[in-house]
Each structure stands twice: as C-alpha cells, then as structure tokens.
C-alpha cells in the first residue's frame, strides 16, 4: 500500500528521480551501490524480449543475473535518453541525498515510518516471500550468498498463517 502511494504521487525534480530510483529497487531488489552503478551494458534483452540485469555485485563480488519485472522495465525505459548520453541506467545521486529525499517523500505520501533506500530492497524480498515465492528463489534474485541472509526478510504474518490454513482446508 505504501509503495502504491509513492508510485501514485507526482513529484518533480530530484524528488521524482529519487522516487523512480526507489521504485526501481522495489522491483529489482538491488542494493543502492549496485543500482547507482548500473550501466546500459548491464541490461541484456533475451530472445523472448525479457530484460535481464547482469552485474558483478559490489558487496559480494558475485555475478547477479536476474530478470526484470515490468515495473522496473518501465522505469528503465523512462531514462533512455539519459542512459544513451551518460551511460548509467538511472540518474546518479549520493546515498545521503537519496535518503534525505526519501524522508520528504514519506512526509508527502503520509508514510509515518522511517524509510531509506534499503527499504526498497527489503520491500522486494518481503513482497516476494508474501506472494509465496520459494525462499531459495528469493535468495537468488537478491544475490545473497547464503539462505540465512534471505531469512531476515521472511516474516511470518497472520495473513501467511491464514493463507496456509486456507490452502490446507
């Protein structure tokens, strides 16, 4: 619901750039360092037309190769002229500036909790798990080197419990 509020709100200038960067990461699970350094050559289109992110992660040095959700592709497409001119997929800003703008975005959209860029990555992992995506698949999509890292995102909620019992019934 909060992501939808951010998505629906119209911002201008730097706030719009931060909004799009945040939403891109809500739909890719990328860390700030990886999303900021993502270059046009890191996006590959396969034979079926699906876009994939392929990059060596800054934190782990491991290669990440994951398909992009449609909402991420829409944001990617938004910055095509920027990408052709500068080479980066998204406009670049400092991590500190992004997080300070996210506080303003939260205020404008009525979000009462603290959000930072890492919230986007957490949102990606949590939303996949809540939709029933297998923990191992989520781990791979997030570029984790260990399943233990992914378990941090796996919260058992009342809804999860009710869904499981509903399926069993």
């Amino acid at each position: 619901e909060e992501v939808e509020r951010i998505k629906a709100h119209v911002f201008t200038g730097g706030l719009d750039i931060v909004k799009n960067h945040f939403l891109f990461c809500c739909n890719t699970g990328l860390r700030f360092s990886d999303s900021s350094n993502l270059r046009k050559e890191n996006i590959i289109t396969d034979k079926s037309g699906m876009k994939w992110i392929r990059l060596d992660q800054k934190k782990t040095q491991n290669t990440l190769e994951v398909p992009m959700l449609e909402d991420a592709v829409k944001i990617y497409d938004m910055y095509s002229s920027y990408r052709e001119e500068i080479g980066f997929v998204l406009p670049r800003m400092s991590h500190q500036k992004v997080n300070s703008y996210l506080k303003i975005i939260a205020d404008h959209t009525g979000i009462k909790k603290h959000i930072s860029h890492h919230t986007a990555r957490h949102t990606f992992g949590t939303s996949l798990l809540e939709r029933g995506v297998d923990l191992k698949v989520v781990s791979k999509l997030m570029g984790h080197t260990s399943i233990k890292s992914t378990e941090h995102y796996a919260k058992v909620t009342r809804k999860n419990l009710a869904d499981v019992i509903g399926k069993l019934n």
Side-chain angles (χ1 to χ4, degrees):
E1 176 199 333
E2 292 161 336
V3 170
E4 290 303 316
R5 274 194 269 161
I6 291 171
K7 192 174 174 181
H9 200 91
V10 177
F11 295 101
T12 58
L15 288 174
D16 190 52
I17 291 168
V18 170
K19 166 191 161 177
N20 290 331
H21 193 150
F22 182 80
L23 293 173
F24 183 83
C25 291
C26 284
N27 286 284
T28 61
L30 292 179
R31 293 176 184 91
F32 180 81
S33 57
D34 292 330
S35 62
S36 293
N37 293 313
L38 198 62
R39 300 185 66 84
K40 63 182 182 178
E41 54 268 16
N42 296 121
I43 308 299
I44 295 122
T45 305
D46 69 14
K47 291 176 185 174
S48 72
M50 180 175 281
K51 293 198 180 328
W52 290 71
I53 295 171
R54 185 174 202 287
L55 63 95
D56 293 328
Q57 297 175 93
K58 187 174 182 179
K59 182 177 179 180
T60 65
Q61 308 304 305
N62 292 337
T63 300
L64 176 70
E65 192 167 5
V66 294
M68 290 171 66
L69 289 167
E70 288 177 11
D71 282 349
V73 172
K74 287 177 189 171
I75 294 167
Y76 170 81
D77 289 344
M78 255 187 240
Y79 293 104
S80 60
S81 59
Y82 174 85
R83 187 173 53 256
E84 290 308 313
E85 184 180 331
I86 307 296
F88 289 97
V89 169
L90 300 167
R92 302 179 84 208
M93 260 184 213
S94 74
H95 198 178
Q96 184 178 10
K97 181 64 98 179
V98 166
N99 284 335
S100 68
Y101 277 15
L102 283 170
K103 289 177 185 172
I104 296 167
I105 288 171
D107 287 343
H108 284 308
T109 55
I111 297 170
K112 301 296 182 208
K113 63 179 127 180
H114 169 75
I115 63 171
S116 67
H117 190 276
H118 187 71
T119 306
R121 182 167 167 80
H122 198 277
T123 297
F124 178 76
T126 302
S127 67
L128 291 176
L129 291 166
E130 285 179 349
R131 289 184 173 110
V133 177
D134 183 77
L135 189 66
K136 289 179 183 177
V137 173
V138 175
S139 184
K140 182 79 172 163
L141 288 170
M142 296 186 75
H144 288 152
T145 54
S146 138
I147 223 65
K148 270 205 148 323
S149 300
T150 314
E151 287 174 344
H152 171 73
Y153 299 88
K155 293 183 280 183
V156 178
T157 64
R158 288 177 62 91
K159 182 185 179 317
N160 298 132
L161 296 172
D163 288 348
V164 166
I165 295 303
K167 287 176 186 172
L168 293 173
N169 283 335

